[in-house]
Amino acid sequence: MLLAPPFILVLAAAICAFLPSRWRAGLLLAAPAAALMSLLSYSSGEHHMLTALGFELTVVRVDELSRIFGIIFSIAALLAGVFAWHVDDRMQQVATLAYTGAAMGGVLAGDLVTLFLWWEGTALASVFLIWARRTPAAMATGMRYLIIQVTSGVLLLAGLLLHFYYTGSIAFDHLGLANTGTVLILVAFGIKCAFPLLHNWLQDAYPAATITGTVVMSALTTKMAIYALARGYAGTDVLISIGAVMALFPIVFALLEDDLRRVLAYSMNSQLGFMVVGVGIGTDLSLNGTVAHAVCSILYTGLLFMSVGAVMYRTGSARTSELGGLFRAMPLTAVCCLVGAASISAMPLLSGFVSKSMTVSAALYEGHHLVWLSLLLASAAAIAHTGIRVPYVIFFSEARDIEASEAPQHMRWAMLAAAGLCVLIGVIPASLHGLLPYDAEYKSYSLAHVLTQLQMIVFVALAYVLLVRKGLLTNRGVGVIADTDVVYRRWIPRVLPMLVSGLGTAQRAAGLRVESALGGLHRGLVRIASPDAWLAQGWRVGSMMLIVIVVMLAVLIANLF
Amino acid sequence: MKAFLMWVDTPEKLVKCLAIAGAVLVLLDLVIDTYPYVPRNGVPMLYAILGFLGFGIVALMAYVITPILRRPDNYYSAGSLDDESAGPASADRTTGDVK
């Protein structure tokens, strides 16, 4: 069992902690490669069953769906390892291996308890990729990230316990919205997969992590959640609407943001929306589309994060307001960035063209016309906010006075390899289609598809250029764009102290009033009932009798009614 | 190809190229059935319209929304991520990460 893919990586992480610098960098390449080998050696089926805490656990379940995610995770980790060859930071390197292992364990988990353990594992390991920046802001961001990720894990635990209570099963197969437990599990998956309103940790954390950390983070957490959705909630209608909103809402933010890594985080959020729609539709074609798009998105988003990271490595900035005209200084990075950008734009001969249209077509075939239009609009916008804007502002816009040189050799290799895979999938779609889990006939290259996609790209480019010329798309001042995190980062921290201090004041005022009222009562009682006061004086029998008679009369009269 | 790329050196020429390419693609749209898998005919040139108008409207929306959503860098707290000064001087080339 120690040779199962997740354990190879976790073991490597443990060993990594005690190795010298270059050995650690080497292990970052060797461990994902070994995990990939190990994964490919498994036959389909359930492996490594064990009983713990009274549960029957299935530690490794390999089938068509989990296998392709495991493969792409190890490839992504390998590429990220090449990209991070220069890193000499024990914390980051150990965290990267442990994080990859946890994500791998998550997609191979055959039951919900095992899934939960790995689910929390990804949260705990990945937060160190943010903390490795070692700045106060990164510490704070990491803490927010951890709280949200752990909340997702806690919801998963609560959900699985309820599900177990209702059904007596912890199997991680199709769940659907069958009971309260599975609803909670869906919310847990939704947090990790950045559903609208649950999304903000993504845009908060990814720009805060280290250059190399963001590359590996972008590949794993959200795609593990997409896998979990595809496994548990295929064909759940509500996901179609959620996915459509998710594809659309990040557009405006991606167009406005100044920090390019945040632009990419929004862009990725929108791409995740396509995958969620695919899961919601739940046909063989749409699920294949989800998986294919997850694979392609890991590659081209990783590539884009790498090229922006390389620029950041050389210039110290990933801000549109501080970059420009770097094409001459970093030509190869620029070309790789263009390949990634063209891939997300679904340019023919590149990976996005092959994968994106599967989900979009499935929405049309199943009659979800509004969703289909939303996805088309989101594709059009992706061409602009990532496909054109990201390479344009870094490499081709007005040159600024920046000293920079080409990315280091290992970064160039990593970017070239990722770009090569994007081209490979684009030119030979069968290389990806052969790995997809379901049987669905889909022809990527048809005259109609190429024509319509080229139309879209050319017209978006035209609109973009015209808008930039009119000054309607230029950066209007820098600064953060308020998103939903304004609620928990600004409003609650502002309102809560006011509320608390207000309540405190009110409580003190009320206390004083009660005290004075009680004091008055006490003084009154003292006045009439103290030993030498009026009530305590010696009373005559006659007047006592009179009082008794008056009281008895009052009782009698009260009884009449 | 290189000569062509060198020729496109002003925005005007770029717009001209894109407009010509767009016109060709739209003409092709009239000849080729762009909805081969759906029984009834769809909107012609839908992708061109969505690309140009759809994106244009979204971009203008973004233009209008910007002043409402834009906040200063230290909006959340002084020393938050966006407020942390980056820049060439702060990049540590040995560990490769921005301090």
Side-chain angles (χ1 to χ4, degrees), chain A residues 105 142 349 546:
Chain A
L349 300 182
L546 185 67

Side-chain angles (χ1 to χ4, degrees), chain B residues 42-92:
Chain B
V43 185
M45 290 176 266
L46 175 77
Y47 290 76
I49 296 168
L50 260 181
F52 193 79
L53 287 183
F55 166 65
I57 290 167
V58 169
L60 289 178
M61 240 169 65
Y63 181 82
V64 176
I65 287 176
T66 313
I68 304 169
L69 291 184
R70 182 89 70 195
R71 301 283 195 279
D73 274 342
N74 60 2
Y75 177 65
Y76 290 122
S77 63
S80 67
L81 182 74
D82 298 277
D83 197 30
E84 264 182 6
S85 63
S90 62
D92 183 336

Side-chain angles (χ1 to χ4, degrees), chain A residues 23-381:
Chain A
W23 285 75
R24 294 200 300 269
L27 202 57
L28 242 59
L29 306 180
L36 180 60
M37 294 292 177
S38 159
L39 176 65
L40 293 177
S41 74
Y42 275 87
S43 59
S44 294
E46 301 189 332
H47 307 269
H48 309 308
M49 328 274 250
L50 52 93
T51 309
L53 311 167
F55 291 118
E56 289 284 330
L57 305 183
T58 309
V59 180
V60 172
R61 180 234 334 249
V62 178
D63 61 7
E64 302 283 304
L65 184 60
S66 58
R67 185 181 285 126
I68 185 164
F69 274 91
I71 291 174
I72 191 64
F73 280 6
S74 28
I75 291 176
L78 192 60
L79 292 176
V82 176
F83 187 76
W85 178 257
H86 64 280
V87 173
D88 179 16
D89 175 5
R90 206 176 295 269
M91 185 206 253
Q92 265 193 78
Q93 288 162 315
V94 172
T96 303
L97 284 172
Y99 176 37
T100 314
M104 187 75 99
V107 298
L108 293 178
D111 64 88
L112 289 166
V113 175
T114 313
L115 178 73
F116 163 74
L117 294 174
W118 292 120
W119 196 263
E120 292 289 37
T122 57
L124 292 177
S126 58
V127 73
F128 286 97
L129 297 175
I130 302 171
W131 284 340
R133 276 276 287 269
R134 298 181 173 88
T135 64
M139 297 310 276
T141 309
M143 198 46 91
R144 282 196 297 277
Y145 170 83
L146 190 62
I147 289 171
I148 294 171
Q149 296 292 313
V150 169
T151 305
S152 161
V154 170
L155 284 172
L156 175 57
L157 179 63
L160 89 84
L161 289 175
L162 276 175
H163 180 62
F164 179 69
Y165 173 74
Y166 288 128
T167 64
S169 157
I170 54 159
F172 182 29
D173 295 312
H174 183 77
L175 299 170
L177 296 176
N179 55 50
T180 326
T182 57
V183 173
L184 285 179
I185 297 175
L186 180 64
V187 177
F189 291 176
I191 291 177
K192 265 229 190 340
C193 164
F195 278 5
L197 301 183
L198 305 177
H199 67 280
N200 218 250
W201 62 268
L202 186 75
Q203 292 81 7
D204 191 18
Y206 286 17
T210 63
I211 290 172
T212 49
T214 308
V215 173
V216 66
M217 282 169 86
S218 75
L220 300 181
T221 297
T222 50
K223 306 311 182 296
M224 180 176 79
I226 291 287
Y227 161 82
L229 277 181
R231 171 75 70 189
Y233 295 91
T236 305
D237 284 336
V238 66
L239 291 178
I240 301 177
S241 336
I242 293 177
V245 174
M246 197 166 155
L248 286 178
F249 89 88
I251 296 174
V252 172
F253 293 99
L255 278 169
L256 297 180
E257 257 304 332
D258 185 37
D259 187 324
L260 280 169
R261 294 204 293 174
R262 195 167 287 142
V263 171
L264 292 179
Y266 276 116
S267 167
M268 191 171 103
N269 209 163
S270 172
Q271 300 302 308
L272 291 166
F274 284 76
M275 299 172 213
V276 173
V277 169
V279 174
I281 294 172
T283 59
D284 282 356
L285 175 63
S286 77
L287 286 170
N288 267 355
T290 294
V291 177
H293 204 47
V295 171
C296 294
S297 167
I298 285 176
L299 291 172
Y300 63 64
T301 313
L303 175 56
L304 287 166
F305 271 115
M306 281 189 218
S307 46
V308 169
V311 169
M312 199 173 163
Y313 179 66
R314 286 304 195 203
T315 65
S317 173
R319 301 251 193 148
T320 59
S321 52
E322 292 167 3
L323 295 170
L326 285 171
F327 180 72
R328 278 180 206 293
M330 310 180 77
L332 193 105
T333 308
V335 169
C336 290
C337 182
L338 278 174
V339 171
S343 291
I344 196 177
S345 309
M347 183 80 94
L349 300 182
L350 289 166
S351 59
F353 182 80
V354 172
S355 63
K356 200 181 275 187
S357 55
M358 294 170 86
T359 307
V360 180
S361 303
L364 179 62
Y365 298 167
E366 299 304 313
H368 301 288
H369 291 106
L370 207 60
V371 173
W372 174 64
L373 281 175
S374 313
L375 294 186
L376 285 183
L377 185 60
S379 319

Side-chain angles (χ1 to χ4, degrees), chain A residues 406-431:
Chain A
E406 183 56 275
Q409 200 173 22
H410 62 276
M411 289 190 177
R412 297 207 295 272
W413 279 111
M415 288 189 285
L416 277 174
L421 286 172
C422 286
V423 175
L424 176 76
I425 292 173
V427 175
I428 312 171
S431 60

